[in-house]
Amino acid sequence: MLDHGAAPPVESATVPKTPFLTALVRRKPVERLVAEGGQGEGGSLRRSLSMWQLTMISIGATLGTGIFVVLGEAVPEAGPAVTLAFVFAGLTALFSALSYAELAGTIPVAGSSYSYAYATMGELVAWVCGWCLMLEYGVSVAAVAVGWGDYLNELLDGTIGVTLPAALSAPPGEGGVFNLPALIVVVLAMLFLMGGAKESARANTIMVAVKIAALVLFCAVGFMGFKSGNYSDFMPLGLSSVGAAGAILFFSYIGFDAASTAGEEAKNPQRDLPRAIMLSLVIVTVLYVLVAAVAVGAWDWKKFAGTDATLAAIMNDVTGQSFWGTLLAAGAVISIASVVLTVLYGQTRILFAMARDGLVPKVFGKVDAKTGTPRTNTVIVSLLCGGLAAVVPLGELVNATSIGTLFAFALVNVAVVVLRFTRPDMERSFKVPFGPVFAALGFLCCGYSMYSLDLITWVYFGAWMAAGLVFYFLYGMRRSRLVTEPVTTDAEK
């Protein structure tokens, strides 16, 4: 058994010096990862989440970003073929979700793909993966918060006839100075999370029910304006445009990854995490494709360019009344808030796991004994994400999130194969069908989607990764618990 209390100081002379290259590939044994589950500085996370709540976390983190916010950017990229782009992005996510499901059931910890990489490919790859997850989750919170402000203005205009001035509702470069609504929704999510995981999950379940009802309402109303002629030129920009749009829309499928970050707060993670991951992906993909098909059928695809609250605008146009668009905007305000809540939750839990391993400052691993949550971690991450949302345009945020997500998912597809070969004896509550074949397909789909992204996105990604490597070599590599604490279990010897 591991001693979860304060480790006794280790004299520098007793810590063996690890060769540089060996240090980069040192792995954290699965047994140690699982044994440390839930343990933090000053307290422990609480196992309180059921399979249904885990599924709602997945849906909450996923459903909303691609439809309520990014549809206006994806349709001009692919035309009516945006429905195929959603299918392509969904298949890409499916292969990776299968790998996530196997690893989540085998290694049910808070670090998600970061922890999976640590157990299979070594510390440097794990750090790179964790750094990508920071980009994926942190920037995703900011991107979705920006879209929340658009629908809030739509709601205010439809109910009381006023909107927030552009200076306070848009970032610099898009006609504004400071996006106040984006900061507000992140702060509200922060307050929910500080109350406890169970309480946050209950609030999220209510918000998910509202968002599903809002999308079903849109399909019912939007279908009345359906024009088959809008599909006459199905792929006006060519087949490559579907891949480009799919890469953008992959941003919309990160919800099941958020579920895997709840591994240390799930009641029965080995059984429930794989089920929640797969069930949520099926529900979300069906809704995405259905809503996209109705939206393009109701509007000529060229009208989507430059729109923000796209679904509300379509409902207003189809009915000739502002009431329906206002009603949808109200649902979107609640719906998108749930995305912010659940993705912010995932970000804090990944940093919690990395802090426990010593790769980031210990402050991110402190757990409040009363609430069982990493409260200081939550405050720091929320303020950083809220500040980012207030000053950075949506388009750049979406693309940066997509490439970080795709890179992390590609590593998960590798990790599941590595663990199959290195630890074939481990009990697995779920196994990827056709094993390495589906994992390879997931890796290739992620690679193709990354290739489809713009050069500027790669430049941003390269700069982010360079900064991460500098931090690792100057801080994390030296403070890793695999260095500072002695081996304590037979599995680690």
Side-chain angles (χ1 to χ4, degrees), residues 45-132:
L45 303 179
R46 297 173 182 172
R47 293 197 177 277
S48 59
L49 302 179
S50 65
M51 194 275 284
W52 178 248
Q53 288 172 320
L54 293 169
T55 304
M56 291 299 102
I57 288 175
S58 287
I59 297 176
T62 309
L63 192 57
T65 53
I67 290 297
F68 287 111
V69 178
V70 189
L71 193 61
E73 294 192 10
V75 173
E77 288 282 341
V82 72
T83 51
L84 285 184
F86 269 113
V87 173
F88 174 73
L91 286 174
T92 302
L94 173 61
F95 291 127
S96 297
L98 290 169
S99 295
Y100 262 101
E102 177 170 328
L103 290 173
T106 308
I107 314 174
V109 292
S112 184
S113 51
Y114 153 76
S115 294
Y116 309 152
Y118 212 165
T120 57
M121 292 177 282
E123 188 171 281
L124 179 61
V125 176
W127 169 261
V128 169
C129 189
W131 194 249
C132 286

Side-chain angles (χ1 to χ4, degrees), residues 438-461:
F438 274 20
L441 287 173
F443 180 85
L444 292 174
C445 286
C446 290
Y448 177 76
S449 294
M450 292 177 70
Y451 174 77
S452 300
L453 292 169
D454 294 336
L455 177 62
I456 187 62
T457 303
W458 278 95
V459 172
Y460 290 149
F461 181 64

Side-chain angles (χ1 to χ4, degrees), residues 241-253:
S241 67
V242 176
I248 293 173
L249 291 171
F250 192 80
F251 162 83
S252 311
Y253 284 91

Side-chain angles (χ1 to χ4, degrees), residues 80 227-236 296 300-301:
K227 301 179 183 66
S228 59
N230 288 339
Y231 280 95
S232 58
D233 188 7
F234 183 69
M235 203 175 292
V296 175
D300 183 274
W301 70 272

Side-chain angles (χ1 to χ4, degrees), residues 161-195:
V162 299
T163 58
L164 295 172
L168 293 178
S169 60
E174 293 190 352
V177 176
F178 189 84
N179 194 329
L180 182 61
L183 177 59
I184 289 174
V185 71
V186 175
V187 172
L188 289 174
M190 176 190 76
L191 295 175
F192 271 110
L193 290 175
M194 290 174 67

